[in-house]
Amino acid sequence: MRAPLVLVTAAAIAGLSACTDQGAGSDIDTGDFGNATMNNTLAMTSARDLAIDLSHRFAAEVPSTINFAFNSAELDGAARATLREQARWISQYPDLKFRVYGHTDKVGSDRYNKRLGLRRANVAVDYLVTQGIPRRQLEAVVSFGETQPLIVTEGRERQNRRTVTEVSGFLRRPASLLDGKYALFTYSEYVTSATEPHELVLVDKQGGAEER
């Protein structure tokens, strides 16, 4: 197919010429204006996307939730076992930050439940620290109290009495996002995506499509 012919009028040429004339501010833009902002944005976006990917991997590979008895912030055997699994995973990524969110059921006042949720988050963090995780990697500053139930009920519900551990970002941006374990993670994601079944669609010259 022949490329469309573009006609440029004399007036348009004159307008373009005027843009190249020296005038007020014409020597300010050297062609790289905004590059610093663009580079920073790309770097931060890459780190953000990697943190999101690692967050999904954490949730897929490790139980992220522990539960509590009614009106309690004490860890039972199952909770401690889950936190030990979390600690083993977290120890692989010393530059990652994690948040532990505390939740309660609907029984009790909102003020009391927020305090209880925060106590639960702090207990979980304290236990992770005993497993060798540096406290600087962990935050227990957010408590949703009773406001985000898994099971909507006004009564007692164990599934709502929980803490949830999530990846929240990096302590510092890695010197190279493709370095060490982060490169291995990225590589494994590439291999997975390459081996997943894909649907081949052939398009003929008439615009029809055939699936294989």
Side-chain angles (χ1 to χ4, degrees):
M1 180 179 180
R2 182 176 297 177
L5 181 63
V6 178
L7 299 179
V8 181
T9 65
I13 294 174
L16 292 172
S17 299
C19 292
T20 62
D21 292 341
Q22 294 295 320
S26 62
D27 59 340
I28 293 178
D29 187 358
T30 59
D32 58 358
F33 180 77
N35 279 359
T37 300
M38 178 187 68
N39 291 336
N40 287 339
T41 300
L42 290 175
M44 289 186 291
T45 301
S46 297
R48 183 202 63 190
D49 290 346
L50 180 57
I52 292 173
D53 289 341
L54 288 168
S55 180
H56 291 162
R57 182 168 181 174
F58 175 76
E61 297 181 355
V62 182
S64 60
T65 301
I66 62 174
N67 297 103
F68 294 83
F70 179 71
N71 196 30
S72 172
E74 294 185 7
L75 301 174
D76 60 18
R80 287 191 291 270
T82 294
L83 290 172
R84 286 194 293 270
E85 289 187 58
Q86 292 183 12
R88 283 192 290 271
W89 199 98
I90 293 171
S91 65
Q92 302 176 78
Y93 299 96
D95 288 332
L96 278 181
K97 292 193 302 183
F98 293 79
R99 282 188 182 142
V100 180
Y101 297 90
H103 302 264
T104 69
D105 56 28
K106 297 281 287 183
V107 179
S109 70
D110 181 66
R111 181 178 181 182
Y112 180 83
N113 283 337
K114 284 183 178 179
R115 291 178 178 176
L116 178 58
L118 187 56
R119 283 169 50 206
R120 288 171 173 168
N122 277 315
V123 164
V125 165
D126 289 343
Y127 191 83
L128 290 170
V129 170
T130 69
Q131 301 302 301
I133 305 302
R135 191 172 290 274
R136 67 178 181 275
Q137 280 188 262
L138 305 167
E139 293 180 281
V141 296
V142 177
S143 170
F144 289 113
E146 62 183 37
T147 60
Q148 295 189 4
L150 290 178
I151 307 297
V152 179
T153 176
E154 296 296 323
R156 300 183 181 186
E157 176 53 57
R158 181 175 174 82
Q159 291 188 60
N160 293 338
R161 303 192 298 266
R162 69 198 191 280
T163 65
V164 180
T165 305
E166 296 180 359
V167 175
S168 61
F170 289 94
L171 288 171
R172 58 185 180 278
R173 182 177 172 270
S176 172
L177 289 176
L178 295 179
D179 183 38
K181 289 185 173 62
Y182 304 113
L184 180 60
F185 167 73
T186 303
Y187 173 74
S188 67
E189 292 298 300
Y190 288 155
V191 171
T192 300
S193 65
T195 56
E196 290 176 346
H198 292 79
E199 182 182 85
L200 178 62
V201 178
L202 302 178
V203 180
D204 61 26
K205 294 182 180 181
Q206 304 301 320
E210 177 184 355
E211 296 182 1
R212 292 188 178 180

